[in-house]
Amino acid sequence: QVQLVESGGGLVQPGGSLRLSCAASGFTFSNAAMRWYRQASGKERELVASITTTGGITNIADSVQGRFTISRDNAKKTVYLQMNSLKPEDTAVYYCFADYLSMNYWGQGTQVTVSS
């Protein structure tokens, strides 16, 4: 059974940092391209960052470029999203996504709230 479990969300002040983790199980993690999406209240889900199977190529959305970094540890079957210099507009539910053998899998999401 494929599972993606996000953690690390919470309440943070503007300018602060959080690191999200997504622990994967039930499939060969090292063969899956991984992504982070987010969805703010009343808005469409948007792609935040993506990373290839080996971590050799990453892409970051323009809206978070220079502030967010995606990485992965295939030995730990975990993908990370390091978020720095957080802004109130980064408030959203953040979702982990796996593209594995042309099948798509989603995590349950973790809430990130940036507020003073």
Side-chain angles (χ1 to χ4, degrees):
Q1 181 182 357
V2 172
Q3 279 194 313
L4 298 172
V5 180
E6 299 99 334
S7 60
L11 173 64
V12 63
Q13 292 187 342
S17 298
L18 284 175
R19 188 176 81 154
L20 304 183
S21 300
C22 172
S25 61
F27 64 101
T28 306
F29 180 75
S30 58
N31 288 347
M34 300 298 295
R35 304 174 197 161
W36 285 98
Y37 287 81
R38 69 184 181 184
Q39 187 167 20
S41 180
K43 295 188 177 181
E44 293 187 355
R45 193 170 295 190
E46 66 168 331
L47 177 63
V48 175
S50 62
I51 189 166
T52 53
T53 55
T54 62
I57 298 174
T58 62
N59 286 289
I60 304 295
D62 289 344
S63 58
V64 301
Q65 185 69 247
R67 300 188 296 120
F68 289 14
T69 304
I70 187 172
S71 62
R72 66 189 294 162
D73 185 333
N74 284 346
K76 294 183 178 180
K77 300 181 181 180
T78 301
V79 62
Y80 304 98
L81 185 67
Q82 178 67 44
M83 306 186 294
N84 299 327
S85 302
L86 283 161
K87 305 175 180 180
E89 51 263 43
D90 295 319
T91 295
V93 178
Y94 285 72
Y95 297 92
C96 178
F97 172 94
D99 177 0
Y100 176 67
L101 301 179
S102 299
M103 301 279 288
N104 298 333
Y105 301 99
W106 291 91
Q108 83 288 352
T110 185
Q111 176 71 45
V112 171
T113 302
V114 185
S115 175
S116 55

